[in-house]
Amino acid sequence: MNVILASTLLVAFAEIGDKTMLLAIILAARFRAPWQIIAGIFAATIVNHALAAWAGAEIAGLLDGYWFRLAVAIGFLAMAAWTLVPDAMDDDANDKPARFGVFLTTTIAYFAAEMGDKTQIATIALGARYHAVSLVAIGTTLGMMIANVPAVFVGDRITRIIPLKWMRIAAALIFLALGILAIRDLLV
């Protein structure tokens, strides 16, 4: 499986219904400045996911061995289960004014929301699995943009076409497949 394609598909599906996708919808409804919001999402994601992919590759490089590869495989399986759990947004963040402008507000909000998020953890795991920081960061950022750009433009109309439940199931199946492939690699 191509690293960029695997990373893109995994994150695009995992992002559907995620708190950062809900954040995109909220920001779009609040500011009505889609291109500034999209630019902020891109800026936050490329930095966050490049750091996450690098961290995964470095950790894997330091801890390369059977047990670490098993932990990564189990991590993918755990992500499959976690993806099936819907996210909820805190309403507290929505009441604050955008004193730094739409772009900077979006960038900061997205960067913070991605910390410890399932797509960031998936990026760390992908970095550990593939040892290709730039390819993983490109793929995961592309996946985030594929999921979030439509959210900025059409918001909640997306969920009328494709239920979030089915998107979470698709993401879980991708994580499951990656986990099984990683376990298979350990056994071969």
Side-chain angles (χ1 to χ4, degrees):
M1 195 185 255
N2 183 314
V3 175
I4 292 176
L5 180 61
S7 300
T8 300
L9 289 175
L10 183 69
V11 169
F13 281 112
E15 181 64 10
I16 303 296
D18 193 60
K19 68 182 174 229
T20 47
M21 184 181 207
L22 298 174
L23 179 60
I25 293 167
I26 291 166
L27 291 169
R30 182 167 177 214
F31 295 123
R32 303 198 191 283
W35 295 110
Q36 291 177 354
I37 294 167
I38 290 167
I41 292 169
F42 178 79
T45 301
I46 193 69
V47 171
N48 190 300
H49 285 208
L51 290 171
W54 173 79
E58 287 301 310
I59 291 168
L62 294 173
L63 304 173
D64 196 22
Y66 175 83
W67 294 108
F68 180 73
R69 292 189 336 249
L70 179 61
V72 169
I74 291 169
F76 279 124
L77 297 175
M79 290 299 298
W82 186 13
T83 301
L84 294 173
V85 179
D87 280 328
M89 267 304 275
D90 292 333
D91 292 330
D92 298 340
N94 301 332
D95 298 327
K96 296 176 184 167
R99 63 185 241 206
F100 298 114
V102 176
F103 171 77
L104 194 54
T105 297
T106 301
T107 303
I108 293 168
Y110 255 80
F111 192 88
E114 262 308 285
M115 298 306 288
D117 194 54
K118 64 185 158 205
T119 51
Q120 184 191 45
I121 293 169
T123 302
I124 292 169
L126 288 163
R129 171 141 170 72
Y130 293 117
H131 300 273
V133 173
S134 60
L135 297 177
V136 168
I138 289 167
T140 58
T141 299
L142 184 57
M144 287 287 283
M145 299 311 288
I146 287 170
N148 287 303
V149 169
V152 170
F153 287 112
V154 296
D156 65 343
R157 288 180 272 169
I158 293 171
T159 59
R160 291 184 208 143
I161 299 167
I162 304 169
L164 293 178
K165 175 184 175 183
W166 292 108
M167 296 307 284
R168 283 192 298 274
I169 290 170
L173 290 173
I174 293 170
F175 278 118
L176 180 65
L178 286 171
I180 290 170
L181 289 172
I183 289 173
R184 186 200 67 182
D185 288 347
L186 286 173
L187 299 175
V188 178

